Amino acid sequence: MRKTIDPDSFGFLINDIARFSRAVFEVEIEAARLSVTAAEARVMAHMARCGATRQHLLAERLGMTPMSLTGFLDRLETSGLVTRTADVKDRRAKIVTLTPRASDVLAQIAQAGAQAEQTLSEGICAEDWETFRRIALQLRRNLSDARSQTPNAEDAA
């Protein structure tokens, strides 16, 4: 049994990588002088990834509260980059969708993301980077599967 905290344990490493990569991405977004902030760019990137989706599910995917996401969506909607419509299955729920106007900004976000990834992968050969990527994808599948098999606390109530 481990009796001390390992500062290089898997959890710390993944957290550090995520935190540092987010900071590198923010620098790239600022350097690109986009019309959106780094946080808004993350929201748009996740929207591009998942397509039209309920607002609360997007917040969950981003790891933020729905209330926090609302402010970002308000600004993006005012800029004409997203729309929100009532969900036909539940009028209280909102579906968020990227507008055609968002495509130019998304292309710039993708460029900034590619530059950030280049910084992250500095000094790692292409073969090792691809191996890391494959392993990371498997870790994500493992965690997603484990999460889907765990009963939701709300469902148990």
Side-chain angles (χ1 to χ4, degrees):
M1 176 184 269
R2 188 181 295 170
K3 295 187 181 217
T4 61
I5 300 296
D6 178 1
D8 291 328
S9 69
F10 175 78
F12 281 131
L13 284 171
I14 291 296
N15 187 60
D16 289 346
I17 291 168
R19 184 169 40 89
F20 291 143
S21 64
R22 177 181 245 179
V24 169
F25 178 72
E26 288 173 0
V27 167
E28 292 300 332
I29 291 294
E30 289 175 21
R33 298 182 182 262
L34 300 181
S35 61
V36 296
T37 66
E40 292 164 349
R42 276 193 302 279
V43 170
M44 291 180 68
H46 279 272
M47 290 179 70
R49 178 184 187 204
C50 65
T53 189
R54 281 187 172 191
Q55 191 169 318
H56 79 279
L57 294 175
L58 179 61
E60 181 180 306
R61 189 176 282 257
L62 284 158
M64 63 175 58
T65 66
M67 184 184 284
S68 297
L69 177 61
T70 298
F72 295 123
L73 292 175
D74 287 346
R75 289 187 295 280
L76 292 169
E77 190 172 39
T78 298
S79 298
L81 299 171
V82 304
T83 59
R84 288 183 277 197
T85 56
D87 186 338
V88 295
K89 296 177 186 173
D90 181 352
R91 306 292 286 162
R92 298 168 297 171
K94 297 291 182 192
I95 301 291
V96 292
T97 309
L98 290 165
T99 67
R101 186 173 174 198
S103 61
D104 288 340
V105 177
L106 285 169
Q108 293 172 312
I109 292 168
Q111 245 180 336
Q115 186 61 44
E117 188 171 304
Q118 188 174 15
T119 300
L120 294 168
S121 62
E122 183 88 20
I124 301 172
C125 73
E127 183 180 330
D128 286 349
W129 184 253
E130 184 52 35
T131 299
F132 170 75
R133 187 178 177 285
R134 244 186 12 265
I135 291 168
L137 288 167
Q138 183 62 51
L139 289 170
R140 183 174 69 188
R141 278 190 297 275
N142 292 349
L143 293 169
S144 178
D145 290 350
R147 184 175 182 192
S148 68
Q149 294 172 8
T150 302
N152 188 340
E154 292 176 5
D155 294 341

